[in-house]
Amino acid sequence: MDPGGAMLLEDFGQRVDLTRRIREVLANYPEGTTALRELIQNADDAGASRVRLCLDRRAHGARSLLAPALAQWQGPALLAHNDAAFTDDDFASISRIGGSKKASQAWKTGRFGIGFNSVYHLTDLPSFVSGKYVVMFDPQGAYLPNVSAANPGKRIDYVSSTALTLYGDQLSPYRAFGCDMKAPFQGTLFRFPLRNAEQASSSRLSRQVYTEDDILSLFAQLYEEAVYNLLFLKNVLALEMYVWEPDMGEPKIVYSCALQSQDDKLSWHRQALIRFSGTSAESVEQKIDSFSMDFVSEAFLGNKFEKKSHTYFIVQGMASALSKIGIFATGAAKEYDLHLLPWASVAACISKVEPEDINLRQGHAFCFLPLPVRTGLSVHVNGYFEVSSNRRDIWYGADMDRGGKLRSDWNRLLLEDAVAPLFRELLLALRTLTDSTILYYSLWPTGLFEEPWSILVEQIYKVIYTSPVLHSEIKGGTWVSPAEALLHDEGFSRSNDLSEALVLLGMPVVRVPSAIVDVFSKFYMKSTVKRVAPAAVRHFLQDFVKLGTLGKSHKLILLEYCLSDLDSADIGKCMNGLPLIPLANKQYGIFSEISQESTYYVCDKTEYDLLSAVGDRIIDRSIPPVLLDKLYQIANNSQVNISPIDGLIFLQFFPRLFPPGWKCKSRVPWDPSSGVSSPTADWFKLFWHYIGKHSYDLDLFSDWPILPCTSGHLYRASTASKLIETESLSSLMKELLAKLGCKILDTKYLRVYQQLSHYVYDGDATGVLNSIFGIASLEGVDVHALFQRIKPGEKIELYQFLLDPKWYIGVCLSDMNIKLCKKLPIFRVFDGGSHSSYGFSDLSSSKKYLPPLGVPEHLLKSDFVFCISPSNEDIIMRYYGVERMPKSVFYQRYVLNKLDELQAEVRDSVILAILQDLPQLSLEDPRFKEGLKVLRFVPTINGTLKSPQSLYDPRVEELYALLQESDCFPNGLFQNPDVLDMLLCLGLRTSVSTDTIIESARQIDSFVRKDQEKAHSRGKLLLSYLEIHAHKWSVNKAFDARKKVNNMFAKVTTALRPRDTSWEFDLEKFWSDLRMICWCPVLVTAPSPALPWPSVSSMIAPPKQVRLQEDMWIVSASSRILDGECTSSALSYSLGWSSPPSGSVIAAQLLELGKNNEIVTDQVLRQELALVMPKIYSLLTNLIGSDEMDIVKVVLEGCRWIWVGDGFAKVDEVVLSGHLHLAPYIRVIPIDLAVFKDLFLDLGIKEHLDPVDYASILTRMAMRKAMASLEAEELRTAVLVVQHLAEFRFQDQQTQIYLPDSSARLCLSSELVFNDAPWLLDSGHDIIGDASSIAFSPQKYVHNFVHGNISNDVAERLGVRSLRRLLLAESSDSMNLSLSGVAEAFGQHEDLTTRLKHIVEMYADGPGILFELVQNAED
């Protein structure tokens, strides 16, 4: 070549960036279970029978690694194991992206060599062990030593080298599932360490973080879809998932999925593809294989165990090489180097499927592994489809050209020539495998389908048209082809019953879901699908001589169907001669033209029940309602021998319904309860209902006894002998009239009928009176004698009936009738007992009275008439002349002289009534009031009776509030204001004393265990009262200022109060007792969340344990706080609230305040404490030198109690003066608290810090942070403390000093090194790592450097070691890290030609190429 020309040329070409290529793969392969499925597919291609996945939660050692950067990948990982070892071809294939050697092995699932790379979703550093090698991939070249872009990985022969000895921690994670890392491993174990957030932030492959929970979620998802992943594979029979906990010696299984079969040839069947692929290319027959297998899945989740099992039937086959698709595959291999196999299979789930597993019958498309494509079928379709490299889509479309069209045509041929025939074989086999035709037909394709699956469905229906795939019940069950089947009439409402009847007649009827029929009609148009029709059935039945062998239901369905298409005018002609008229006697009449001899009657329900004895002439009503309605229409409109019933026809059947000899009889005995009478009681009820409904004239039935009587007879309807109608009367009235001999109509057998009034008396008062006195006159006896056989209840019933107001309105009862009523012994009188104790009398033999209003009934005697209602009283007074006795006479005669004999309730009610009527009664008798004044009749709360002079008026508010519920007030009804007014006139008292106060407090104390709320409210009332009145009983009279104000309120309540002798009460004892009683209302919940508060629930407490709210920040930890204000100085002094709290109380408060307030961030709380703490410290200052201060010191020892402005600190965390305020480690007392210096010194606070204190600060920081790095502010604090400590030239060897290292972690100074040989970091040969952790002779030493902000001088003063001195002391061991003989370069790559080939396959031929050029020009 011309040298001058060479100068014009420079290297330029396309390149493949490995990390970018992997990112493209991850973009095409979605996250989720994709990576796990790819691992299963690779194991299947390798011939593995078992795949195990494991979440390894363990953290492995990081001392002996290939490189320090690998330490971060020693944590949680996903392990994937299978029982097939890698071959040399497998090692070569996995190192090539897109250049897999499987492409030439058509029977293998993986054809693109890309799927494995989907594991980079999970990790940046995949690795595996198989045979004698460990392989690690590092596409970024960031972690493995000495890797290159050409071979970004390592392969280590761990068997023949010392790798296990040198790098034990690196290889320890692979010791699982039988791999001991000593002998060659007869299997394959992948390890994918999970990418964490820090690694993801810098990864050039993926920014996706995967946690352990994410892997568990993938396991759960893979478990749910495991059946799809194993269904069409060739070798893998089991998939298991494990979790390896850090504290476990071996992993624990969580999911297990396996394929099983009773046939031991399961593996032989599943490898049919390999067998068929090796047969002669000249075969002319399609090779088909079928088998069933069980998919068993188990889940072990904690204590929960789940097991499921589903059975699948699979038909698989390969088309003949001489078939259309076989010839196509041969041509594709020759012309396009495209290896295609005419292989397909279909699988159906034939076991019972629960609702949650219904997706098992939602058909998916498979290319050995499931594709994300729903077919719409109920079976799964697997085929050697042409799919995209990411296995997301299959090639199909009418707009493709060249290579794309070739792949699309192949997929179509595969569906038509391979899948459709296999589906037919599946249906033929399932005929004997399934017990239910519902399941069988549910597997047929129905509905709408998208392309290309609609093409498959059309082809399926074509190939099965002449195959016996439809089930008919003829001859006990036969399979027929769609071409010869007769479909049942779906338009008929009872098509299933019709089909059953026709099958018994021998017609080839099949019952197929309508959706299947619709698909037949859509895709197969060569002939019309035959159906049954009514005319054909009628013609068939006229020639069928064995119709009598059919059952009732079959005959009825045939009758309904034969009538379904006929008009009324055609029924007689078309149905003539068919014995299908159902009769009540279970026989069948023959259809004919109208004929008197053979007429049949259609009845309603009532007529049917009445004429049941003539079942040979009436049509059966138990037939379906639709059919019965049709016969009604025929009877009314058609010229057929069927007719309805009228009155005359009904009367013609009477001789067959009644016993012989009943006709023209006036009275016949009839006992329906005996069971032998004819007709029955129910028949009579129906009869009267029927004739009433149709309004038949009773004269039509005048020859027959049809009126029932309660005496057990039937009477003919006659005006000469009337019965009494008692339907409106009560049962007691009916019994009464029956006892008196009345003839009563038995109305339970007949309804109200207008014509009955000619033969029956009405049941009103006039009729009853006339009947009773008519009976007395007829029998010649006195009315009293007649009523001796009448019971009291019956007399009351007759009394209520005759005194009903409705009889006295108008002219219903005359004066004569009323005079007769007064003679009846039916009027109730009192006898002094209970309501149920009474007698009866008439109103004509002696003088009777009505009782005074409002008096107790038990006080009434027999000269008082009892009236049930006011209307009765009105009627008796107005129409019967009975007067009411005056009330004054009644009380004098029946009450006042018998008061001690009355019960309490009765007594109280009587006395209250007397008190209410007292003015009127006093006018009648002045002595009445004088007697009441000395009577003990007022009840109290405990039930005792007291005179009014010994009780208090509860209307006085202060008395009632203080003594509520005591035995000092009238109780019950006597608390009524009107009653109290009367009692005031009789001496009711009012007053208050110290005894009253003590009694009120003790009552409150008694409520503590019963009702806290009540005790609290009563306590507040007592407190309010004492606020106003405490000065009256105060020992100290020095509260004149407040007393003047309080007296203003007190005068109102004491102005009218008489002088009380209780002023002589010992006031000192009074206040002492009051302080000890539990009555004072206190707060239960703290007003502020930060306020110390005792865990008590009592809402009241003794005043001795209570303090005012103004002191709550000083005493709340050990004292109760008053719920309310105390403005009375006298009350505050008398109850001891004015004295300062004790030292122990203040110390307890400080102790609680400091517990949870080390740092106070709440500004409101901080301000509150800033105000309170000086008060507390002032109180403590006053205790210096006292015994109480000794108690304070004991309580506060070792606790946080010192306020430093933003929180509380302990004594060893505080200094009185200093220039370092390093919260929370050391703080300085605020200036505003400096006045309490004597107190702080007395309680042990240091005035200045010494070196040991500075060292203690660093120690506390180290304990707080553990091994975590310091934040920036914390690091500044630590460095500042170190510098102050160094100024003291601290030499105490007994004290440990913590210093920050280069990673900002606090470590002991004796464990750190300062770098006084920085030039060693520049050589790069003898030192490995960074400045924070540098390894020399990695087999022996690793040094940790002190932080760079600490000078070498300060570090040496505080005990940090020198690097140079250490290097001189160490031995010169070899630091050779060569991997020669142990590891070799081994990594993934993709040839440029391979990459371009895949791009070409992704973009279909045709105009799309030109579109891409236009788009690039536009960009």
Side-chain angles (χ1 to χ4, degrees):
M1 180 179 292
D2 182 11
M7 297 296 294
L8 301 176
L9 304 179
E10 60 176 313
D11 293 338
F12 188 84
Q14 295 174 301
R15 300 185 301 275
V16 177
D17 185 339
L18 180 58
T19 57
R20 182 185 182 97
R21 177 65 177 122
I22 291 176
R23 289 198 301 271
E24 292 176 357
V25 171
L26 296 183
N28 288 328
Y29 281 78
E31 295 187 66
T33 58
T34 301
L36 306 184
R37 291 202 304 267
E38 292 295 335
L39 295 174
I40 296 172
Q41 170 235 295
N42 290 337
D44 187 70
D45 287 342
S49 61
R50 184 183 185 188
V51 175
R52 293 188 283 188
L53 304 175
C54 177
L55 170 59
D56 186 358
R57 296 180 183 267
R58 299 174 297 169
H60 300 278
R63 293 182 176 273
S64 52
L65 303 178
L66 291 173
L70 292 172
Q72 58 186 294
W73 299 101
Q74 289 294 95
L78 172 66
L79 305 181
H81 166 261
N82 67 74
D83 54 2
F86 260 55
T87 64
D88 292 340
D89 287 343
D90 293 332
F91 280 109
S93 294
I94 201 171
S95 66
R96 297 189 183 96
I97 299 179
S100 173
K101 290 190 175 184
K102 298 180 185 179
S104 61
Q105 299 171 311
W107 52 270
K108 287 198 173 185
T109 305
R111 287 181 265 164
F112 305 101
I114 298 176
F116 170 76
N117 295 279
S118 61
V119 300
Y120 288 106
H121 278 303
L122 311 176
T123 185
D124 286 356
L125 196 75
S127 61
F128 67 92
V129 57
S130 186
K132 64 178 183 177
Y133 292 109
V134 173
V135 176
M136 306 179 72
F137 290 140
D138 182 11
Q140 304 175 92
Y143 305 106
L144 292 175
N146 302 323
V147 293
S148 64
N151 286 291
K154 295 295 180 184
R155 184 170 72 172
I156 303 174
D157 183 351
Y158 68 88
V159 176
S160 58
S161 69
T162 60
L164 183 60
T165 303
L166 296 175
Y167 311 108
D169 288 342
Q170 187 74 65
L171 302 182
S172 64
Y174 303 100
R175 293 177 176 174
F177 299 113
C179 177
D180 58 5
M181 298 306 295
K182 296 179 181 179
F185 182 42
Q186 301 304 315
T188 301
L189 177 62
F190 290 91
R191 183 176 185 271
F192 307 112
L194 304 182
R195 183 188 299 112
N196 58 34
E198 181 179 356
Q199 296 159 352
S201 64
S202 60
S203 174
R204 288 181 290 142
L205 302 180
S206 172
R207 296 301 175 91
Q208 181 62 48
V209 176
Y210 267 84
T211 64
E212 299 173 30
D213 289 340
D214 293 333
I215 299 301
L216 291 177
S217 298
L218 291 182
F219 281 2
Q221 184 179 350
L222 186 65
Y223 170 73
E224 294 298 330
E225 62 187 31
V227 62
Y228 303 123
N229 297 319
L230 301 182
L231 189 59
F232 292 110
L233 296 182
K234 301 172 289 299
N235 295 294
V236 176
L237 295 175
L239 170 63
E240 299 168 355
M241 285 161 272
Y242 297 80
V243 174
W244 201 329
E245 301 291 348
D247 56 347
M248 296 176 57
E250 59 183 16
K252 179 182 66 175
I253 188 169
V254 291
Y255 298 109
S256 172
C257 308
L259 300 179
Q260 302 175 0
S261 175
Q262 296 180 354
D263 186 356
D264 57 2
K265 294 184 178 182
L266 178 60
S267 297
W268 183 82
H269 285 297
R270 286 166 59 80
Q271 294 182 357
L273 173 59
I274 302 175
R275 297 200 313 274
F276 293 167
S277 298
T279 56
S280 172
E282 302 299 326
S283 175
V284 297
E285 296 182 355
Q286 182 182 21
K287 304 177 185 64
I288 297 177
D289 178 58
S290 62
F291 64 99
S292 63
M293 65 181 182
D294 296 329
F295 176 78
V296 180
S297 59
E298 298 176 328
F300 310 86
L301 302 176
N303 297 327
K304 180 182 178 182
F305 173 72
E306 175 188 84
K307 183 174 182 179
K308 297 181 180 179
S309 178
H310 297 96
T311 302
Y312 285 84
F313 185 76
I314 301 175
V315 180
Q316 55 190 359
M318 183 176 291
S320 166
L322 300 180
S323 63
K324 182 178 179 180
I325 188 174
I327 296 173
F328 186 95
T330 303
K334 292 180 180 179
E335 298 179 18
Y336 299 97
D337 193 25
L338 189 62
H339 300 280
L340 303 174
L341 284 178
W343 168 266
S345 53
V346 290
C349 180
I350 61 175
S351 58
K352 181 180 180 182
V353 175
E354 300 297 333
E356 62 269 19
D357 297 324
I358 194 64
N359 60 310
L360 298 179
R361 295 216 175 100
Q362 296 175 352
H364 287 74
F366 289 73
C367 186
F368 299 99
L369 283 177
L371 304 174
V373 177
R374 290 283 181 90
T375 63
L377 282 74
S378 298
V379 300
H380 304 302
V381 176
N382 177 48
Y384 198 87
F385 295 110
E386 276 298 285
V387 298
S388 59
S389 60
N390 62 355
R391 303 179 62 86
R392 303 291 296 172
D393 306 287
I394 70 169
W395 286 86
Y396 185 79
D399 59 343
M400 297 186 179
D401 195 9
R402 298 193 178 185
K405 185 176 185 303
L406 178 73
R407 289 176 167 82
S408 177
D409 291 345
W410 165 258
N411 287 338
R412 177 168 185 149
L413 283 174
L414 195 63
L415 293 174
E416 293 179 340
D417 293 358
V419 177
L422 292 177
F423 194 94
R424 176 183 59 195
E425 297 300 324
L426 174 69
L427 293 180
L428 293 174
L430 290 179
R431 298 180 307 175
T432 58
L433 293 177
T434 57
D435 297 331
S436 170
T437 56
I438 296 178
L439 170 60
Y440 174 75
Y441 286 125
S442 69
L443 299 176
W444 286 51
T446 57
L448 299 177
F449 300 87
E450 297 180 355
E451 290 189 345
W453 310 110
S454 60
I455 298 173
L456 170 61
V457 174
E458 179 178 0
Q459 187 65 19
I460 288 173
Y461 276 85
K462 287 182 179 179
V463 300
I464 66 174
Y465 187 74
T466 57
S467 301
V469 293
L470 298 179
H471 184 264
S472 176
E473 296 294 339
I474 59 173
K475 300 179 181 179
T478 304
W479 292 88
V480 297
S481 68
E484 61 181 331
L486 186 63
L487 296 177
H488 70 297
D489 188 355
E490 293 181 354
F492 185 58
S493 60
R494 301 176 60 195
S495 57
N496 291 339
D497 297 334
L498 175 64
S499 297
E500 182 180 344
L502 295 179
V503 165
L504 293 176
L505 298 178
M507 298 182 74
V509 179
V510 296
R511 289 183 290 177
V512 180
S514 59
I516 296 178
V517 178
D518 293 341
V519 181
F520 265 120
S521 302
K522 177 180 179 182
F523 288 139
Y524 201 82
M525 305 300 295
K526 291 183 179 180
S527 62
T528 304
V529 181
K530 294 174 290 185
R531 297 179 182 271
V532 297
V537 173
R538 287 195 298 270
H539 179 73
F540 184 83
L541 292 178
Q542 288 171 349
D543 298 335
F544 193 76
V545 297
K546 297 182 180 180
L547 190 61
T549 60
L550 292 178
K552 175 182 177 181
S553 60
H554 295 143
K555 289 184 179 180
L556 292 179
I557 196 65
L558 291 175
L559 173 60
E560 182 179 352
Y561 190 65
C562 289
L563 293 173
S564 62
D565 66 334
L566 295 178
D567 294 331
S568 298
D570 299 330
I571 292 178
K573 178 180 178 182
C574 296
M575 297 293 292
N576 188 39
L578 294 182
L580 293 178
I581 301 177
L583 302 178
N585 63 350
K586 310 305 179 183
Q587 301 300 316
Y588 289 84
I590 301 174
F591 276 96
S592 67
E593 303 290 340
I594 292 180
S595 173
Q596 294 296 332
E597 288 93 8
S598 59
T599 299
Y600 303 100
Y601 299 97
V602 60
C603 311
D604 60 19
K605 178 66 169 61
T606 304
E607 293 169 343
Y608 186 80
D609 292 337
L610 291 172
L611 300 177
S612 60
V614 289
D616 57 328
R617 299 295 301 279
I618 60 175
I619 293 176
D620 188 3
R621 283 189 57 84
S622 65
I623 62 178
V626 174
L627 188 55
L628 186 61
D629 292 342
K630 183 68 175 179
L631 293 178
Y632 265 115
Q633 296 175 8
I634 294 173
N636 292 320
N637 302 314
S638 303
Q639 300 298 315
V640 188
N641 56 333
I642 298 177
S643 173
I645 288 180
D646 58 20
L648 292 176
I649 294 176
F650 183 73
L651 185 62
Q652 292 176 8
F653 291 117
F654 262 48
R656 298 180 61 181
L657 302 176
F658 282 85
W662 275 29
K663 188 175 182 180
C664 299
K665 286 288 186 71
S666 297
R667 169 182 169 181
V668 295
W670 180 64
D671 183 10
S673 62
S674 64
V676 297
S677 297
S678 179
T680 64
D682 291 336
W683 189 93
F684 259 107
K685 291 180 182 179
L686 285 175
F687 170 74
W688 282 101
H689 172 76
Y690 176 68
I691 64 175
K693 177 180 178 182
H694 293 277
S695 300
Y696 291 148
D697 192 341
L698 287 182
D699 291 338
L700 185 64
F701 309 100
S702 61
D703 292 338
W704 299 90
I706 57 174
L707 288 175
C709 179
T710 57
S711 62
H713 296 85
L714 292 176
Y715 293 88
R716 288 172 60 192
S718 174
T719 58
S721 178
K722 293 184 178 182
L723 283 72
I724 301 176
E725 188 275 314
T726 60
E727 185 176 5
S728 61
L729 302 181
S730 65
S731 59
L732 287 178
M733 281 293 295
K734 294 176 183 179
E735 293 179 9
L736 171 66
L737 295 176
K739 287 183 179 181
L740 296 177
C742 295
K743 186 170 63 175
I744 300 173
L745 178 70
D746 197 344
T747 56
K748 67 174 177 286
Y749 298 109
L750 56 103
R751 55 178 290 171
V752 177
Y753 194 62
Q754 184 176 3
Q755 295 186 18
L756 283 177
S757 60
H758 301 297
Y759 313 104
V760 180
Y761 287 115
D762 292 333
D764 57 8
T766 300
V768 170
L769 283 172
N770 290 332
S771 297
I772 293 175
F773 281 93
I775 293 171
S777 175
L778 179 64
E779 295 184 2
V781 296
D782 182 68
V783 174
H784 283 265
L786 188 65
F787 271 80
Q788 289 179 355
R789 45 182 151 170
I790 303 304
K791 297 179 180 179
E794 296 169 337
K795 293 180 181 180
I796 293 175
E797 190 73 14
L798 181 58
Y799 165 84
Q800 291 176 331
F801 177 77
L802 293 176
L803 266 70
D804 193 316
K806 63 185 178 181
W807 309 132
Y808 299 88
I809 300 175
V811 294
C812 183
L813 279 178
S814 63
D815 292 340
M816 181 58 68
N817 289 332
I818 293 175
K819 186 175 181 180
L820 292 176
C821 282
K822 293 179 69 174
K823 295 181 179 181
L824 296 176
I826 60 173
F827 296 93
R828 181 178 171 185
V829 293
F830 293 94
D831 66 351
S834 63
H835 293 179
S836 60
S837 178
Y838 52 83
F840 289 93
S841 176
D842 59 77
L843 299 181
S844 60
S845 60
S846 63
K847 181 69 173 178
K848 303 296 180 184
Y849 297 93
L850 287 175
L853 296 177
V855 299
E857 294 181 357
H858 67 279
L859 300 176
L860 302 175
K861 303 302 180 180
S862 60
D863 47 357
F864 293 99
V865 177
F866 174 80
C867 294
I868 298 177
S869 65
S871 62
N872 292 156
E873 287 186 353
D874 183 63
I875 291 171
I876 288 179
M877 294 175 67
R878 180 179 301 181
Y879 297 100
Y880 292 83
V882 179
E883 299 177 352
R884 188 180 301 278
M885 178 179 284
K887 185 178 290 187
S888 60
V889 176
F890 171 77
Y891 281 134
Q892 292 175 358
R893 189 177 300 177
Y894 299 105
V895 176
L896 293 179
N897 57 347
K898 298 180 180 180
L899 190 62
D900 295 338
E901 301 175 4
L902 301 179
Q903 296 180 355
E905 181 179 356
V906 176
R907 177 199 65 222
D908 291 345
S909 63
V910 171
I911 292 298
L912 288 174
I914 293 174
L915 290 176
Q916 290 175 357
D917 295 337
L918 186 59
Q920 179 182 352
L921 296 176
S922 297
L923 291 175
E924 295 178 4
D925 185 359
R927 297 174 299 174
F928 195 82
K929 181 176 180 181
E930 296 300 325
L932 288 179
K933 289 182 179 180
V934 297
L935 187 65
R936 299 180 60 175
F937 62 87
V938 183
T940 61
I941 193 171
N942 63 3
T944 60
L945 295 178
K946 294 184 179 182
S947 64
Q949 298 177 354
S950 62
L951 299 176
Y952 293 93
D953 187 351
R955 292 176 298 182
V956 179
E957 293 184 0
E958 62 181 10
L959 281 175
Y960 188 77
L962 295 175
L963 298 175
Q964 186 180 2
E965 300 184 16
S966 69
D967 195 23
C968 300
F969 300 106
N971 189 43
L973 300 176
F974 287 82
Q975 292 178 328
N976 185 281
D978 295 335
V979 178
L980 291 174
D981 289 340
M982 296 303 299
L983 294 178
L984 282 175
C985 297
L986 298 176
L988 194 65
R989 297 191 306 156
T990 59
S991 65
V992 176
S993 66
T994 54
D995 291 335
T996 307
I997 302 298
I998 293 295
E999 178 64 25
S1000 177
R1002 287 172 177 168
Q1003 278 190 324
I1004 296 171
D1005 190 8
S1006 67
F1007 291 147
V1008 173
R1009 295 180 179 84
K1010 301 176 183 177
D1011 191 336
Q1012 287 275 352
E1013 294 289 344
K1014 180 186 289 187
H1016 182 265
S1017 63
R1018 290 286 301 277
K1020 297 208 73 168
L1021 287 175
L1022 180 57
L1023 179 66
S1024 300
Y1025 183 83
L1026 290 174
E1027 272 275 295
I1028 299 174
H1029 300 282
H1031 67 279
K1032 294 189 301 184
W1033 303 295
S1034 174
V1035 179
N1036 189 342
K1037 304 296 184 178
F1039 307 102
D1040 294 336
R1042 291 189 180 182
K1043 181 177 180 181
K1044 291 180 181 180
V1045 178
N1046 293 337
N1047 281 345
M1048 294 175 62
F1049 299 97
K1051 288 178 180 179
V1052 178
T1053 57
T1054 60
L1056 301 178
R1057 182 177 303 156
R1059 178 178 178 85
D1060 197 325
T1061 58
S1062 62
W1063 290 107
E1064 300 177 0
F1065 183 82
D1066 186 353
L1067 295 182
E1068 289 288 348
K1069 184 177 186 304
F1070 163 67
W1071 288 111
S1072 176
D1073 292 344
L1074 194 60
R1075 282 194 294 268
M1076 301 303 295
I1077 300 173
C1078 184
W1079 64 269
C1080 197
V1082 293
L1083 296 176
V1084 177
T1085 57
S1088 171
L1091 188 65
W1093 206 255
S1095 58
V1096 293
S1097 60
S1098 175
M1099 300 177 70
I1100 61 173
K1104 185 178 181 180
Q1105 301 175 5
V1106 177
R1107 301 292 297 192
L1108 301 179
Q1109 291 190 19
E1110 62 191 39
D1111 296 334
M1112 64 181 176
W1113 281 97
I1114 300 175
V1115 301
S1116 65
S1118 56
S1119 298
R1120 305 302 301 274
I1121 304 303
L1122 181 69
D1123 185 4
E1125 296 183 358
C1126 180
T1127 60
S1128 171
S1129 300
L1131 179 62
S1132 178
Y1133 174 83
S1134 300
L1135 293 179
W1137 295 342
S1138 299
S1139 60
S1142 66
S1144 59
V1145 171
I1146 299 174
Q1149 185 76 2
L1150 278 177
L1151 184 66
E1152 293 300 323
L1153 283 173
K1155 277 185 179 179
N1156 301 316
N1157 293 300
E1158 180 179 355
I1159 299 296
V1160 178
T1161 59
D1162 187 349
Q1163 292 299 325
V1164 176
L1165 177 60
R1166 184 178 292 185
Q1167 294 175 3
E1168 183 71 35
L1169 291 174
L1171 295 175
V1172 169
M1173 295 311 299
K1175 297 179 182 179
I1176 295 178
Y1177 292 149
S1178 177
L1179 292 173
L1180 289 178
T1181 301
N1182 295 332
L1183 299 177
I1184 294 177
S1186 65
D1187 294 339
E1188 286 192 65
M1189 181 55 72
D1190 295 335
I1191 299 175
V1192 172
K1193 291 179 181 179
V1194 173
V1195 173
L1196 298 181
E1197 183 178 1
C1199 302
R1200 297 186 182 276
W1201 62 272
I1202 308 161
W1203 174 249
V1204 292
D1206 59 354
F1208 288 89
K1210 300 179 181 178
V1211 171
D1212 59 352
E1213 297 174 351
V1214 177
V1215 64
L1216 279 174
S1217 62
H1219 53 277
L1220 282 182
H1221 186 85
L1222 305 177
Y1225 305 105
I1226 193 70
R1227 309 180 189 203
V1228 180
I1229 295 293
I1231 296 176
D1232 57 342
L1233 298 180
V1235 296
F1236 305 111
K1237 177 179 179 180
D1238 294 340
L1239 172 67
F1240 294 145
L1241 291 176
D1242 189 45
L1243 291 176
I1245 297 178
K1246 291 185 177 182
E1247 191 167 4
H1248 302 286
L1249 291 178
D1250 54 31
V1252 176
D1253 295 324
Y1254 286 107
S1256 176
I1257 293 174
L1258 293 173
T1259 301
R1260 292 202 300 272
M1261 293 180 67
M1263 297 301 101
R1264 179 186 291 256
K1265 298 296 291 186
M1267 291 304 294
S1269 298
L1270 300 175
E1271 302 293 339
E1273 184 63 25
E1274 294 174 326
L1275 179 62
R1276 188 195 68 79
T1277 299
V1279 172
L1280 189 62
V1281 173
V1282 169
Q1283 291 173 351
H1284 278 277
L1285 185 61
E1287 292 177 0
F1288 289 97
R1289 298 192 175 274
F1290 187 68
Q1291 299 297 331
D1292 187 357
Q1293 301 300 324
Q1294 301 301 321
T1295 302
Q1296 294 180 331
I1297 301 176
Y1298 284 87
L1299 303 179
D1301 67 0
S1302 57
S1303 299
R1305 297 175 299 180
L1306 285 174
C1307 303
L1308 288 174
S1309 60
S1310 59
E1311 298 177 355
L1312 297 176
V1313 175
F1314 65 87
N1315 185 13
D1316 53 354
W1319 58 88
L1320 292 179
L1321 297 177
D1322 299 330
S1323 63
H1325 298 291
D1326 299 328
I1327 301 175
I1328 299 175
D1330 55 21
S1332 65
S1333 180
I1334 300 180
F1336 298 86
S1337 300
Q1339 300 174 356
K1340 296 183 179 181
Y1341 305 102
V1342 176
H1343 299 299
N1344 191 15
F1345 285 93
V1346 74
H1347 198 274
N1349 289 352
I1350 299 177
S1351 66
N1352 292 350
D1353 180 55
V1354 171
E1356 188 171 15
R1357 289 181 186 180
L1358 299 178
V1360 180
R1361 296 174 296 170
S1362 165
L1363 176 62
R1364 282 192 294 174
R1365 295 192 186 99
L1366 288 175
L1367 292 178
L1368 292 175
E1370 291 176 359
S1371 64
S1372 57
D1373 291 343
S1374 172
M1375 292 185 285
N1376 180 22
L1377 292 180
S1378 172
L1379 298 177
S1380 175
V1382 178
E1384 59 178 311
F1386 189 91
Q1388 293 175 293
H1389 65 279
E1390 183 176 31
D1391 296 337
L1392 178 60
T1393 55
T1394 303
R1395 181 67 185 127
L1396 293 175
K1397 178 181 178 183
H1398 286 165
I1399 293 175
V1400 170
E1401 290 177 350
M1402 292 173 60
Y1403 288 84
D1405 295 344
I1409 299 174
L1410 303 181
F1411 296 156
E1412 288 294 330
L1413 295 174
V1414 173
Q1415 176 238 304
N1416 290 338
E1418 169 69 15
D1419 291 341

